[in-house]
């Protein structure tokens, strides 16, 4: 049972006490003052909570489509800012499916495995690394500087391009070395290839351009 006031630290402790394999947490907030319950539920609205009197129930989903841990921390901070107090209980833990346990792999191992899953004639890749914590973001971006990472997507997500033989993007070998540097410092996360093109032949250009959310990448 955790005090809600200044909850981010205790919530982090709760996460650290859990096994890495969790996928979803079911939480229950009991607001001390019933007059504050409606406001607390409103502030937690993005988590799609259910309310019964002073009790507010909601879930944290690590892999989607529910609210992620970082987003929940921001919501709890809003309650803290308004002086809403209560207790937070962990009701249940859902473990991740076996295929999701790959997150335990090193970043380099994930990258090299992802490359084996794309066509052998791939020419251009748009990839993402989702760091396990925003605490890793600054140092991770520095270690990954040769891949020219860009903030795009989640709070701790970095995206980059890779080129197999020529064109715009880091070589897959250089990306592997950069990930290895992160591994050496204990930086963890999930690496995924978002888009892949095969056998492209740019003419007087540095390669293809993806347009995502109105932004060229």
């Amino acid at each position: 049972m955790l005090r809600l006031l200044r909850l981010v630290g205790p919530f982090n402790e709760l996460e650290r006490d859990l096994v890495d394999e969790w996928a979803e947490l079911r939480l229950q907030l009991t607001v001390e003052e019933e007059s504050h319950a409606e406001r607390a539920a409103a502030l937690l609205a993005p988590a799609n909570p259910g309310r019964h009197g002073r009790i507010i129930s909601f879930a944290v989903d690590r892999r989607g489509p529910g609210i992620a841990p970082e987003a929940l921390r921001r919501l709890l901070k809003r309650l803290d800012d308004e002086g809403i107090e209560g207790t937070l209980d962990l009701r249940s833990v859902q473990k991740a499916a076996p295929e999701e346990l790959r997150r335990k792999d090193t970043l380099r191992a994930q990258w090299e495995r992802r490359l084996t899953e794309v066509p052998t004639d791939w020419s251009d890749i748009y990839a993402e690394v989702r760091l396990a914590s925003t605490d890793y973001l600054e140092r991770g971006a520095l270690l990954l500087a040769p891949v020219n990472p860009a903030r795009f997507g989640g709070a701790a997500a970095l995206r980059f391009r890779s080129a197999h033989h020529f064109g715009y993007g880091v070589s897959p070998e250089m990306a592997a070395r950069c990930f290895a540097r992160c591994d050496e410092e204990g930086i963890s996360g999930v690496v995924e290839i978002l888009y892949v093109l095969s056998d492209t032949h740019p003419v007087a250009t540095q390669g293809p351009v993806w347009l995502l959310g109105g932004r060229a990448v």
Side-chain angles (χ1 to χ4, degrees):
M1 185 177 291
L2 304 173
R3 294 291 296 179
L4 182 58
L5 194 61
R6 295 195 177 96
L7 186 60
V8 173
F11 181 70
N12 290 340
E13 293 176 9
L14 183 152
E15 279 194 290
R16 286 194 292 269
D17 289 341
L18 295 171
V19 294
D20 290 339
E21 292 86 352
W22 74 267
E24 181 186 83
L25 306 179
R26 300 294 305 182
L27 301 169
Q28 178 177 292
L29 166 65
T30 304
V31 181
E32 287 195 359
E33 298 290 337
E34 189 161 0
S35 60
H36 293 164
E38 183 175 353
R39 178 58 178 165
L43 292 173
L44 290 169
N48 193 28
R51 180 192 165 203
H52 182 71
R54 295 188 297 119
I55 298 175
I56 302 171
S57 303
F58 53 93
V60 182
D61 195 334
R62 212 177 202 177
R63 297 289 291 173
I67 192 167
E70 285 300 323
L72 177 62
R73 273 184 269 270
R74 291 193 292 271
L75 297 181
L76 294 175
K77 178 63 166 56
R78 296 177 186 174
L79 273 70
D80 183 34
D81 290 343
E82 295 202 13
I84 298 175
E85 299 182 33
T87 53
L88 187 66
D89 294 306
L90 176 62
R91 308 302 296 175
S92 66
V93 179
Q94 179 179 320
K95 290 187 177 182
E99 60 269 17
E100 294 181 357
L101 300 183
R102 291 178 175 178
R103 71 179 71 250
K104 284 187 167 183
D105 291 347
T106 64
L107 296 179
R108 178 170 185 164
Q110 292 182 62
W111 171 245
E112 292 177 340
R113 184 178 63 251
R114 295 299 187 198
L115 290 177
T116 67
E117 297 170 353
V118 300
T120 56
D121 64 344
W122 75 268
S123 54
D124 301 272
I125 278 175
Y126 187 54
E128 177 180 83
V129 53
R130 296 191 301 276
L131 302 177
S133 170
T134 53
D135 293 340
Y136 295 148
L137 193 56
E138 184 174 349
R139 183 60 179 167
L142 179 62
L143 295 174
L144 291 168
V147 309
N148 193 26
R151 291 285 301 277
F152 199 101
L158 297 170
R159 293 186 179 183
F160 64 95
R161 290 183 57 167
S162 179
H164 202 176
H165 301 297
F166 54 84
Y168 181 76
V170 66
S171 71
E173 295 80 12
M174 175 57 74
R177 287 195 290 273
C178 291
F179 283 132
R181 292 162 61 187
C182 292
D183 295 334
E184 290 168 2
E185 297 200 14
I187 296 175
S188 59
V190 176
V191 178
E192 290 193 11
I193 292 175
L194 303 179
Y195 300 101
V196 59
L197 296 175
S198 295
D199 199 26
T200 59
H201 296 280
V203 177
T205 70
Q206 290 186 316
V209 174
W210 284 279
L211 189 63
L212 301 177
R215 173 179 167 185
V217 297

